Amino acid sequence: MKVIFERLFFTTTLIVVGTILVVILLVDHFYRKYVFQPLFKDTVTFVSSYIDQWQRTVKAFDASYNPIVRDLLNVLASELETYGELSDEQITEILAKRLETLSMQYIERVNWYLISPSGVIERTNYATDLGLNIASAVPRYWTARLEPLKPGQFLIEGLSFEYRTNLPRIYGYRRLSSGWILEIGLALDPVIVTDLWESVEELTHNSRYVKRISLYGASFAPFGNYPPLDDEEKRYFSKQEAENDFVIQNLGGSRYKIYKNWIPTTQTGIDWSGKSAFFTLRVLTVLDFSEAESMKKTLIVLLSSAVTAGMILSFWLSLGVFRRISKPIKDTLQEIEQFQRSPFAESSDHAVEASIKEISKLQESIQDMKKQIRDQLTSLYLVNRNLREDIERYKLDVFIDPLTKLFNRRFLMQCLEDLQKSTSNIVICFLDIDSFKMINDTYGHYVGDMVLKALAEVLRTEIRKTDLAFRIGGDEFVVFFVDLQIQEAQQVIQRIENKLASVEFEDFPGLRISVSHGFSQWSQGFGISIEEALKEADLEMYKNKSQKK
């Protein structure tokens, strides 16, 4: 029963542990599929939508300032095409006079650039960008947008940010007949994007899972007071996925960094995927889902606790049922063991109390079975007793001579096989009654039988209990003297002959018994078999008989 209890406890423990593992896997699966992934996607979508909404607001600026950029490009291009070479001061003065005729808010200054056919800014009134190789700085933008321009063709971009300073700008380009590109850049007051930074900060404070949003320009320069990017963060921003979609960096502990490059969406009919313009807005969002992860762990603990409590309760209930079943079963087993040891003992019929119907029926069946076994054992005992008696009688019939009650020739053969393995010294004496045929012919076979019985009785009384006497047929007898020297055996035979000479028969006073005998000796070291020794004794007996004639 102890083994059954241990197995029950072990099985229950395995079920509890297995169930808890299943609960953890299921909760984790449902958490990721139905909580974390939707929550993650909704949070990223929310931030993306906010930035996209701000970019759509920027479109209003494009509608107001794009015509100005186009007008300035036309005026300055006309002057350059008409008068050829103009000094930097002349170009700057032409733009200043034209700008005075326009009344536009938020324009801080106008910068002009002359870009060589190879993409290098060779002349400008904005010293910061002098010598900048656009073809190398933003190769995809140069290849896709600027290099394809034909003479007289315009390209007016929407509101963007200066590559090195992140200042808000609107750029326009026109290819001159010389192959050079004329660029005009309106530097706008940063106040037009200040609302974006403030709104981003407010978004961070109001979101449960957004811990930080940092904004950077195409050159990785931070907007405002955002922390500078390290080399690893720059590599994440430079991945292609950061433009087509976004890149996720798992920081561990349910914290993630989201890298996204927003390309302006104010231009229509242009596929901006895969293009890295120098006015790209880089957004780094740090998300922390520790709170949701903590809720998941709490749920796992609650469910695991509930499962454990349920399994423990089931175990104790099962243990109670097990005890109700095991005690009567144990008592029944003890009763069966006692019955096995002593089937006829009265104490083995003790009734075992059981409150379970099936066990009660089992005990009733056991009592019936015990009664049947007792009856069968009694019958078997009687049969065995009769069988033993039959076997004893059979042994007498098989190995005992019925007339003389000595061992017969069959038993002699059996003894020869057994003695062959013995280490004892054996003296064999072969005996034959003298003139036995004449006794039978003169006095009859009845008297002959009396003579045989008389000789057998003398042999039984004179030999030791360890010696063996056989009647092997007719009037021939054999005696095995075990562990006796031949001289000692001869003395025993001499006593037998003397005693036979004194035997008288009441109805036949003239009848006397004498025997002829022959000896041989055998042991394993003699180099002959015991059968050969028996033949040697037989020959010696015939020699002795011949000497008496």
Side-chain angles (χ1 to χ4, degrees):
M1 294 301 171
K2 182 180 178 182
V3 175
I4 297 176
F5 172 79
E6 291 176 350
R7 289 180 179 177
L8 178 62
F9 178 78
F10 180 71
T11 302
T12 304
T13 303
L14 284 181
I15 293 174
V16 169
V17 174
T19 305
I20 291 176
L21 290 177
V22 171
V23 167
I24 292 174
L25 293 175
L26 288 177
V27 171
D28 185 72
H29 172 74
F30 281 98
Y31 165 76
R32 292 194 173 278
K33 185 174 182 179
Y34 298 106
V35 178
F36 174 74
Q37 292 179 358
L39 188 62
F40 186 94
K41 184 178 180 181
D42 291 345
T43 302
V44 174
T45 301
F46 173 69
V47 175
S48 301
S49 299
Y50 185 85
I51 301 298
D52 289 340
Q53 180 62 37
W54 175 80
Q55 287 190 337
R56 284 190 288 270
T57 303
V58 169
K59 190 173 183 179
F61 288 93
D62 296 342
S64 301
Y65 292 96
N66 282 6
I68 295 177
V69 174
R70 180 180 291 271
D71 180 76
L72 294 177
L73 285 172
N74 284 332
V75 170
L76 187 56
S78 177
E79 293 292 333
L80 289 172
E81 296 286 1
T82 301
Y83 298 105
E85 287 291 331
L86 296 175
S87 65
D88 294 351
E89 291 77 10
Q90 289 175 327
I91 295 174
T92 302
E93 184 179 356
I94 291 171
L95 290 178
K97 289 181 179 179
R98 183 61 180 176
L99 195 59
E100 289 177 356
T101 62
L102 305 173
S103 178
M104 294 299 296
Q105 193 177 9
Y106 300 120
I107 296 179
E108 288 192 339
R109 68 177 185 274
V110 178
N111 296 111
W112 58 269
Y113 309 83
L114 285 175
I115 305 171
S116 69
S118 61
V120 180
I121 299 177
E122 299 287 354
R123 295 176 59 187
T124 178
N125 65 341
Y126 188 52
T128 302
D129 288 343
L130 184 63
L132 175 65
N133 189 334
I134 298 176
S136 298
V138 282
R140 283 180 289 172
Y141 180 75
W142 168 260
T143 302
R145 302 286 285 167
L146 299 182
E147 194 174 33
L149 290 177
K150 297 179 180 180
Q153 191 173 4
F154 289 91
L155 172 62
I156 310 296
E157 300 288 8
L159 179 66
S160 59
F161 302 97
E162 192 174 78
Y163 182 74
R164 291 176 175 172
T165 64
N166 286 340
L167 293 175
R169 290 270 193 159
I170 294 181
Y171 291 97
Y173 305 88
R174 177 175 172 173
R175 174 79 72 175
L176 301 176
S177 59
S178 62
W180 285 55
I181 296 176
L182 173 62
E183 177 185 359
I184 297 294
L186 296 184
L188 304 179
D189 191 339
V191 72
I192 65 175
V193 292
T194 300
D195 291 343
L196 173 63
W197 323 143
E198 294 176 352
S199 299
V200 166
E201 292 297 327
E202 183 178 357
L203 175 65
T204 302
H205 291 307
N206 293 336
S207 176
R208 176 177 295 181
Y209 305 108
V210 179
K211 297 305 176 183
R212 176 166 61 90
I213 299 177
S214 303
L215 305 176
Y216 302 88
S219 64
F220 305 109
F223 287 102
N225 297 322
Y226 295 119
L229 295 172
D230 57 31
D231 292 338
E232 182 183 34
E233 291 171 329
K234 291 178 181 179
R235 285 196 298 271
Y236 274 103
F237 268 125
S238 300
K239 291 184 177 181
Q240 185 71 26
E241 301 94 310
E243 296 178 3
N244 298 335
D245 193 4
F246 52 81
V247 177
I248 302 174
Q249 181 187 7
N250 190 343
L251 303 178
S254 302
R255 298 179 71 251
Y256 302 86
K257 283 184 179 180
I258 309 299
Y259 298 86
K260 173 67 178 176
N261 293 323
W262 263 276
I263 305 298
T265 57
T266 54
Q267 296 291 330
T268 59
I270 300 173
D271 180 13
W272 287 98
S273 61
K275 299 179 174 63
S276 178
F278 60 77
F279 42 85
T280 298
L281 177 64
R282 305 184 190 273
V283 181
L284 173 59
T285 306
V286 179
L287 304 179
D288 189 348
F289 294 96
S290 300
E291 183 177 346
E293 186 71 19
S294 177
M295 292 173 61
K296 181 194 77 171
K297 292 179 180 178
T298 301
L299 180 61
I300 290 176
V301 171
L302 291 176
L303 290 176
S304 299
S305 300
V307 169
T308 303
M311 294 303 298
I312 291 176
L313 178 61
S314 299
F315 174 75
W316 283 112
L317 292 176
S318 301
L319 185 60
V321 175
F322 170 75
R323 287 173 176 171
R324 289 180 59 197
I325 297 174
S326 62
K327 187 179 185 306
I329 291 178
K330 182 178 180 182
D331 294 340
T332 302
L333 290 176
Q334 291 177 348
E335 181 184 358
I336 293 174
E337 291 174 357
Q338 185 177 0
F339 178 77
Q340 289 176 337
R341 291 192 298 268
S342 180
F344 294 96
E346 295 182 359
S347 58
S348 64
D349 291 333
H350 173 67
V352 178
E353 295 182 1
S355 58
I356 299 177
K357 181 179 179 181
E358 288 76 7
I359 296 181
S360 298
K361 290 184 177 180
L362 174 63
Q363 292 169 350
E364 292 175 2
S365 300
I366 290 175
Q367 295 299 327
D368 293 340
M369 179 189 67
K370 287 164 62 178
K371 183 178 181 302
Q372 295 175 10
I373 291 175
R374 284 197 185 99
D375 294 340
Q376 292 176 2
L377 287 175
T378 302
S379 300
L380 184 60
Y381 171 76
L382 296 175
V383 172
N384 286 340
R385 187 181 66 180
N386 295 332
L387 181 59
R388 283 195 298 270
E389 294 175 354
D390 293 340
I391 290 174
E392 292 301 322
R393 286 195 297 270
Y394 174 74
K395 285 182 178 178
L396 291 176
D397 294 339
V398 172
F399 297 118
I400 302 298
D401 177 55
L403 178 64
T404 62
K405 306 304 179 186
L406 296 178
F407 293 118
N408 59 16
R409 186 180 188 87
R410 180 176 293 178
F411 190 66
L412 173 65
M413 295 298 104
Q414 181 68 41
C415 288
L416 292 177
E417 293 181 6
D418 295 338
L419 290 174
Q420 193 76 36
K421 304 173 185 177
S422 173
T423 59
S424 300
N425 180 63
I426 308 295
V427 175
I428 304 173
C429 180
F430 211 106
L431 299 170
D432 187 87
I433 299 174
D434 295 333
S435 305
F436 184 71
K437 184 177 184 302
M438 183 188 69
I439 293 173
N440 280 332
D441 293 342
T442 303
Y443 300 101
H445 288 283
Y446 174 76
V447 175
D449 291 343
M450 292 175 62
V451 171
L452 293 173
K453 290 179 181 179
L455 175 56
E457 184 62 27
V458 172
L459 289 175
R460 270 194 295 268
T461 58
E462 294 299 325
I463 66 175
R464 300 171 301 170
K465 291 183 178 180
T466 56
D467 299 332
L468 300 173
F470 307 86
R471 181 195 175 205
I472 61 174
D475 59 341
E476 293 180 337
F477 293 80
V478 173
V479 179
F480 283 174
F481 296 98
V482 181
D483 290 329
L484 200 66
Q485 297 301 318
I486 193 167
Q487 294 83 3
E488 296 172 324
Q490 289 172 348
Q491 293 174 5
V492 174
I493 297 300
Q494 185 62 49
R495 290 199 306 268
I496 292 172
E497 287 182 323
N498 293 337
K499 195 168 185 178
L500 286 173
S502 63
V503 174
E504 296 181 354
F505 297 92
E506 184 177 356
D507 295 332
F508 308 99
L511 180 60
R512 292 291 182 267
I513 305 174
S514 65
V515 294
S516 298
H517 55 77
F519 290 95
S520 69
Q521 192 172 2
W522 178 88
S523 68
Q524 286 191 356
F526 273 47
I528 62 173
S529 68
I530 194 168
E531 290 87 353
E532 291 174 335
L534 183 62
K535 292 179 182 179
E536 182 180 342
D538 188 19
L539 291 174
E540 291 296 323
M541 183 272 297
Y542 277 110
K543 289 180 182 180
N544 182 249
K545 185 180 286 290
S546 297
Q547 292 173 1
K548 291 181 179 182
K549 292 181 178 180

